[in-house]
Amino acid sequence: TIVLSGAFPTLPAAAGTLLVSGDTTPIFSLTNAVPDVAVVDNQTFFTNLLGAGSSVAILDSPLGAAIGAELSLHYGGLAGVSATLLTGSLSASDLSGVDLLLAPAPSDAFSAAELTVLSSFLVGGGTVFLSGEFSNLIFPGGLVSGSDVNGFLNAALASLAPGVSLANDSIDPGSHLAAGSQIDPHPLTAGITGFSYGYGSGVNGGTPLFRMMDGTPFMVVVNVPEPATSALLGALAVAAALRRARPSA
């Protein structure tokens, strides 16, 4: 006999945090280096991502050395924080002791082994930031497009966060400052009133943090459940299905 009460039990807290952005441009407003000047609220947001952590890892990007430099300079300038730029395949040892991993516009798809590393990192309580771009962007060298990058990330998201995906479109050409209703209330956006972004893609699913001028979310957050939470949700789903299938008296 399976008995379901009218309310589900309180679920355990989420393990890790996954952020998905359809725009990599906000990173360029972390310092006064080329191409954009620093925006305080962008600095605040990326500092919020780290929380109380002290170790950051940054995956190399086809956007070139500038993006890694922006992130390294920002996080390396925070007291007690170290920032490491990673190249080549991602391994578990790369993320040992790391609190925040940033993957801005990856140049190729994540392998099955790398997805396992990412999943384990999230379940272990880590934070991962993935960012794509507007679909018709051609990266330096012309070998990778925004559409390619979004495809790489969507393949990863199908495993890491089903239901979340980059729309692979092109919205809000030029440089913009998200403000007012474009900023959703959330602990990660607390105190932020003007967030610099540019031409990007919308994001489906997740909890919106920032939106385009037409209201389309371009950055979302997903809380990754702990293994016990996942197992409990699965058990509840099975129990509910059994109750629906049970013949009425």
Side-chain angles (χ1 to χ4, degrees):
T1 301
I2 297 174
V3 179
L4 292 179
S5 66
F8 286 162
T10 301
L11 297 177
T17 304
L18 174 65
L19 294 102
V20 182
S21 175
D23 183 24
T24 303
T25 308
I27 293 171
F28 288 118
S29 294
L30 289 177
T31 74
N32 285 317
V34 175
D36 299 323
V37 297
V39 174
V40 172
D41 280 356
N42 286 52
Q43 294 172 330
T44 298
F45 175 76
F46 280 93
T47 299
N48 289 347
L49 289 187
L50 182 58
S54 61
S55 180
V56 178
I58 306 155
L59 291 185
D60 197 17
S61 168
L63 283 172
I67 196 162
E70 290 267 355
L71 289 166
S72 295
L73 285 171
H74 172 69
Y75 285 109
L78 300 177
V81 175
S82 64
T84 303
L85 185 63
L86 303 176
T87 58
S89 299
L90 182 67
S91 67
S93 61
D94 289 329
L95 300 184
S96 177
V98 169
D99 302 294
L100 169 62
L101 172 68
L102 300 113
S107 57
D108 51 28
F110 291 100
S111 67
E114 288 176 317
L115 287 176
T116 298
V117 169
L118 286 172
S119 180
S120 296
F121 179 67
L122 285 165
V123 169
T127 298
V128 175
F129 177 86
L130 305 175
S131 66
E133 265 298 342
F134 65 96
S135 61
N136 57 351
L137 172 65
I138 301 298
F139 288 91
L143 299 178
V144 181
S145 71
S147 184
D148 293 331
V149 166
N150 295 341
F152 300 152
L153 292 175
N154 281 341
L157 289 169
S159 171
L160 299 174
V164 178
S165 66
L166 290 153
N168 198 31
D169 51 19
S170 300
I171 306 176
D172 284 0
S175 298
H176 304 279
L177 202 66
S181 62
Q182 289 179 262
I183 304 174
D184 283 67
H186 190 278
L188 290 173
T189 62
I192 295 175
T193 58
F195 187 76
S196 179
Y197 74 100
Y199 208 178
S201 170
V203 182
N204 303 311
T207 300
L209 297 177
F210 298 102
R211 299 172 184 267
M212 302 287 191
M213 288 187 289
D214 67 358
T216 300
F218 71 84
M219 191 185 298
V220 306
V221 61
V222 180
N223 291 323
V224 178
E226 295 174 348
T229 304
S230 297
L232 177 56
L233 288 173
L236 289 171
V238 170
L242 288 172
R243 186 173 70 168
R244 288 193 299 270
R246 181 180 175 183
S248 58

